[in-house]
Amino acid sequence: QVQLQESGPGLVKPSETLSLSCSVSGYSISSNYFEGWIRQPPGKGLEWIGSISHSGSTFYNPSLKSRVTISIDTSKNQFSLKLNSVTAADTAVYYCARDTGGLCHDYWGQGTLVTVSS
Amino acid sequence: QSALTQPRSVSGSPGQSVTISCTGTSSDVGAYNYVSWYQQHPGKAPKLMIYDVSKRPSGVPDRFSGSKSGNTASLTISGLQAEDEADYHCCSHAGSYGIFGGGTKLTVL
């Protein structure tokens, strides 16, 4: 079955770069899906971060675009998120998910909490 | 870009029906038939309930239905059950990015 699993540091210092990876199983990310990242600050709603196609085309939230990079490694069936110059406002549960191509998602990872603090 | 507008909370008694709205603009909800709805229980990842405005994934009860009129999408839950109590989020295609609503807390009285 389709599974996604986030991994990465749970604590990042202010001004540094948040880096997360998502390992995918149950389907090939070389197929006709997009892969996406979403975050949810504690007690708040979901925020769309960005998506990447199997060919590497990227789509970013305009409010985060200057700080975000999403990349894909088809050989490892993984994709990654980098968010630079983080502040406390970037503290959130970060989810990776399969994007059906409509820039919304069907399968989600369990999420990983990233706290920005010194 | 602003989040799609959802009511902060809705409630209903077991067996009743409730409808949650998701209002956007002619650049997102009104422009594309790519609206999804998610159910999220506390501490859990969102679960897809409706996609492409009105399609139900396998395994989702037919008590859940979706529709769209103009710039507003709606999720209707009929025959409310205790386990339906959760947060519900909408998502829409917005051209070159996606956008979520602020989320709605459903309370089953």
Side-chain angles (χ1 to χ4, degrees):
Chain A
Q1 72 278 26
V2 174
Q3 290 187 319
L4 298 96
Q5 178 68 57
E6 306 87 353
S7 61
L11 181 64
V12 181
K13 289 182 168 56
S15 80
E16 295 189 346
T17 296
L18 179 160
S19 295
L20 295 173
S21 293
C22 181
S23 296
V24 173
S25 60
Y27 74 100
S28 170
I29 62 174
S30 299
S31 57
N32 281 340
Y33 291 106
F34 289 18
E35 318 302 328
W37 289 95
I38 306 97
R39 70 181 183 180
Q40 186 171 33
K44 296 189 178 180
L46 300 170
E47 182 176 27
W48 195 93
I49 298 173
S51 281
I52 187 166
S53 73
H54 64 280
S55 62
S57 298
T58 51
F59 305 82
Y60 295 134
N61 183 327
S63 66
L64 297 171
K65 189 172 184 176
S66 63
R67 299 194 292 132
V68 172
T69 302
I70 296 175
S71 58
I72 196 166
D73 186 339
T74 55
S75 66
K76 295 182 179 178
N77 224 34
Q78 290 181 347
F79 61 104
S80 300
L81 168 71
K82 291 188 186 299
L83 179 67
N84 58 37
S85 304
V86 298
T87 70
D90 295 309
T91 293
V93 175
Y94 285 76
Y95 296 99
C96 62
R98 190 174 77 173
D99 178 334
T100 59
L103 301 184
C104 296
H105 314 85
D106 51 6
Y107 292 94
W108 294 60
Q110 66 184 26
T112 187
L113 175 62
V114 179
T115 301
V116 178
S117 174
S118 55
Chain B
Q1 78 296 2
S2 300
L4 304 174
T5 300
Q6 295 183 235
R8 292 188 69 100
S9 64
V10 298
S11 62
S13 299
Q16 289 186 332
S17 295
V18 295
T19 296
I20 300 171
S21 60
C22 171
T23 300
T25 70
S26 57
S27 297
D28 40 61
V29 175
Y32 303 95
N33 287 324
Y34 290 125
V35 176
S36 295
W37 288 93
Y38 304 92
Q39 177 190 67
Q40 186 179 31
H41 287 109
K44 300 294 187 182
K47 174 188 175 185
L48 180 67
M49 306 303 284
I50 296 288
Y51 68 100
D52 293 353
V53 175
S54 60
K55 298 177 181 176
R56 250 187 334 272
S58 174
V60 172
D62 60 6
R63 303 186 294 105
F64 291 83
S65 62
S67 62
K68 189 183 85 167
S69 177
N71 298 336
T72 297
S74 299
L75 172 70
T76 298
I77 309 170
S78 58
L80 268 180
Q81 299 182 3
E83 59 262 35
D84 298 334
E85 183 162 297
D87 292 328
Y88 290 83
H89 308 270
C90 61
C91 172
S92 175
H93 194 301
S96 59
Y97 58 93
I99 189 167
F100 284 98
T104 298
K105 181 174 179 58
L106 168 62
T107 300
V108 180
L109 302 170

